[in-house]
Amino acid sequence: MFKITIIGTGNISYHLEKAFAQTHRVIETTVVSGRGNALSELLNENAIKNESGDGGDIINVYIITVSDDAIKAVSQHFKGSGNLVIHTSGSVPMEALPEGIKRGVLYPLQTFSRDRVVDLRTVPICIEAERKEDLNMLRQLAGSVSDAVYEINSEQRKALHLAAVFVNNFTNHLYEIGAEICAENKVPFELLKPLIKETALKIETLSPFAAQTGPARRNDMKTIQGHLDQLTSDSFKEIYNLLTQSIKTTYGEKL
Amino acid sequence: MFKITIIGTGNISYHLEKAFAQTHRVIETTVVSGRGNALSELLNENAIKNESGDGGDIINVYIITVSDDAIKAVSQHFKGSGNLVIHTSGSVPMEALPEGIKRGVLYPLQTFSRDRVVDLRTVPICIEAERKEDLNMLRQLAGSVSDAVYEINSEQRKALHLAAVFVNNFTNHLYEIGAEICAENKVPFELLKPLIKETALKIETLSPFAAQTGPARRNDMKTIQGHLDQLTSDSFKEIYNLLTQSIKTTYGEKL
């Protein structure tokens, strides 16, 4: 049985807390937060103890969900702790946590917003731990909320996080550009939503390489020039040009 | 009742034919194709006739689904025709069809592949026609296969097509980049699929502007620099930089 303390109150904290509250593997979840000294005091009171009073069946896990830059400082409070201490960041290595403690990582590979329900069962959770016993613990904990648990080391996780920036952050920005073009031309953005959805669903059965269509893919210079003439924003023109060239390169067209 | 002749055998032709075959508004759908003189002969035999023998209840519609560049040439065969002649292109204006005939456009705003089933009922179909009677016909025809029929003029359709390149073609290319980063780092691309899906589904309830997350959005220079160091391809670095700057500009960060 797990007793969880989540440090931080961001979106990941919120969704993990909700998921842990629903699994019978976890008997208690506490969320602690605060700034500077207030957080330090809270952690000094709670985090260090081994809580052996709970008996051997209880595994205390401290989950640090604070911003990447704060992970190192916050985790210093756990020096000397006998508990499992993990962070949830894609781009921070496990080694950012203090040496000599039971350290690990639990990275849910998904985009979380407060006002959107996410089914954690389908979310890939990447786990890493220094010691084999702790990895087994994390597999149990992660497996209690997700059906897609992967053992991923810090280097691989960093690559996944980078890839996620392309397929999530940058993709969402392309949606934003689409919305701006629609607004400028007084057509409802609504019309693009089925296309956006199908673009994402398509790659569940086709590779992105096989799914590629459009003027850049077929090297249709006339349509490409028409689009460039139509774009009023220099920045969007630049993005159009660069992605068009990159598609051409991918499919071996000479530039 | 409609009697449809589809010219061309690409993906749009294939999916339209399948959809028309299932609606009782259409009594017959023929697909004709061929190259150069062969197509010319076929069209000269079939297209020009008013087929008045079918009686007043039958509306003949010729749907040109050939590549954008070929629309003008192919449609010349319909000069003097009394039938409704339309094309299905996003970026070609209706005026590319010969003057003096009943001309129009039926543009399904979706990405079509031969090996992927698309439910046309949820696909927005943009219609345009020169004459009001023909627009009504097209509304009936499009409405028989889709629940989302929009009257869109050539300028607006061109803007939609441009926006579609961003949210479909370019987005799919970002998936491809994500897949390449995964392959290079020996992590399964599979792990990114739930994120890709959620990114698309998120904007059904949130605007892309509100949905934006990530290092560029929060101006997290350390993570951004780490990602740039990690990228091995100069072209991907350039794309990363440009989209990061564009997100920063959207959210008013000073560059």
Side-chain angles (χ1 to χ4, degrees), chain A residues 110-111 113 116 158-159 161 168-169 172-173 176 193-194 198-199 202 208-209 212-214 227 230 246 250, chain B residues 110-111 113 116 158-159 161 168-169 172-173 176 194 198-199 202-203 208-209 212-214 227 230 246 250:
Chain A
Q110 190 48 284
T111 168
S113 300
R116 179 143 171 101
K158 211 173 136 196
H161 185 257
N168 169 264
N169 300 169
N172 185 76
H173 187 57
E176 169 66 20
K193 289 186 178 176
E198 172 66 11
T199 305
K202 207 171 182 178
F209 188 87
Q212 189 67 55
T213 56
H227 283 160
Q230 207 179 341
S246 184
T250 301
Chain B
Q110 189 52 283
T111 168
S113 298
R116 179 143 171 101
K158 209 173 139 196
H161 185 258
N168 170 265
N169 299 169
N172 185 76
H173 187 58
E176 168 66 20
E198 172 66 11
T199 305
K202 209 172 181 178
I203 56 132
F209 188 87
Q212 189 68 53
T213 57
H227 283 161
Q230 206 179 340
S246 184
T250 302

Side-chain angles (χ1 to χ4, degrees), chain A residues 68-69 91 109-113 115-116 118 122 124 126 150 152 156 158-178 180-182 185-187 189 191-206 208-209 211-215 222-223 227 230-231 235-236 238-240 242-244 246-247 250, chain B residues 68-69 91 109-113 115-116 118 122 124 126 150 152 156 158-178 180-182 185-187 189 191-206 208-209 211-215 222-223 227 230-231 235-236 238-240 242-244 246-247 250:
Chain A
D68 287 1
D69 282 347
S91 53
L109 187 40
Q110 190 48 284
T111 168
F112 295 104
S113 300
D115 36 4
R116 179 143 171 101
V118 170
T122 62
C126 305
Y150 295 84
I152 295 285
Q156 291 174 313
K158 211 173 136 196
L160 274 172
H161 185 257
L162 172 60
V165 166
F166 279 90
V167 305
N168 169 264
N169 300 169
F170 292 164
T171 288
N172 185 76
H173 187 57
L174 295 182
Y175 300 164
E176 169 66 20
I177 294 174
E180 289 186 26
I181 293 169
C182 284
N185 292 277
K186 299 193 171 45
V187 285
F189 176 60
L191 266 87
L192 290 175
K193 289 186 178 176
L195 176 64
I196 285 172
K197 191 173 168 184
E198 172 66 11
T199 305
L201 295 180
K202 207 171 182 178
I203 55 134
E204 297 196 349
T205 50
L206 288 177
F209 188 87
Q212 189 67 55
T213 56
K222 200 175 154 194
T223 302
H227 283 160
Q230 207 179 341
L231 281 165
S235 155
F236 294 173
E238 214 182 329
I239 292 169
Y240 188 101
L242 192 57
L243 290 171
T244 293
S246 184
I247 292 171
T250 301
Chain B
D68 287 2
D69 282 349
S91 53
L109 187 40
Q110 189 52 283
T111 168
F112 296 103
S113 298
D115 36 5
R116 179 143 171 101
V118 171
T122 62
C126 305
Y150 294 84
I152 296 285
Q156 291 174 313
K158 209 173 139 196
L160 274 171
H161 185 258
L162 171 60
V165 167
F166 279 88
V167 304
N168 170 265
N169 299 169
F170 292 164
T171 287
N172 185 76
H173 187 58
L174 295 182
Y175 301 163
E176 168 66 20
I177 294 175
E180 290 186 23
I181 293 170
C182 284
N185 292 276
K186 299 191 171 45
V187 284
F189 177 60
L191 265 88
L192 290 175
K193 289 187 179 177
L195 176 64
I196 285 172
K197 191 172 168 184
E198 172 66 11
T199 305
L201 295 181
K202 209 172 181 178
I203 56 132
E204 297 197 349
T205 50
L206 289 175
F209 188 87
Q212 189 68 53
T213 57
K222 202 176 151 193
T223 303
H227 283 161
Q230 206 179 340
L231 282 165
S235 154
F236 293 173
E238 214 183 328
I239 292 170
Y240 188 101
L242 191 57
L243 290 171
T244 293
S246 184
I247 292 172
T250 302

Side-chain angles (χ1 to χ4, degrees), chain A residues 191, chain B residues 105-107 120-128 135-152:
Chain A
L191 266 87
Chain B
V105 179
L106 183 150
Y107 171 52
L120 219 61
R121 291 234 71 85
T122 62
V123 172
I125 295 190
C126 305
I127 56 166
E128 181 183 10
L135 193 66
N136 286 336
M137 293 295 173
L138 286 184
R139 195 176 286 116
Q140 277 179 40
L141 178 64
S144 75
V145 293
S146 165
D147 294 326
V149 179
Y150 294 84
E151 194 186 326
I152 296 285

Side-chain angles (χ1 to χ4, degrees), chain B residues 80 86 245 249:
Chain B
I86 62 180
Q245 300 296 18
T249 307

Side-chain angles (χ1 to χ4, degrees), chain B residues 77-119:
Chain B
H77 294 281
F78 293 92
K79 274 186 176 168
S81 161
N83 296 310
L84 184 50
V85 179
I86 62 180
H87 73 68
T88 58
S89 165
S91 53
V92 174
M94 180 177 68
E95 286 69 27
L97 302 173
E99 270 186 82
I101 64 165
K102 297 177 184 173
R103 56 187 179 176
V105 179
L106 183 150
Y107 171 52
L109 187 40
Q110 189 52 283
T111 168
F112 296 103
S113 298
R114 194 63 69 111
D115 36 5
R116 179 143 171 101
V117 180
V118 171
D119 178 11

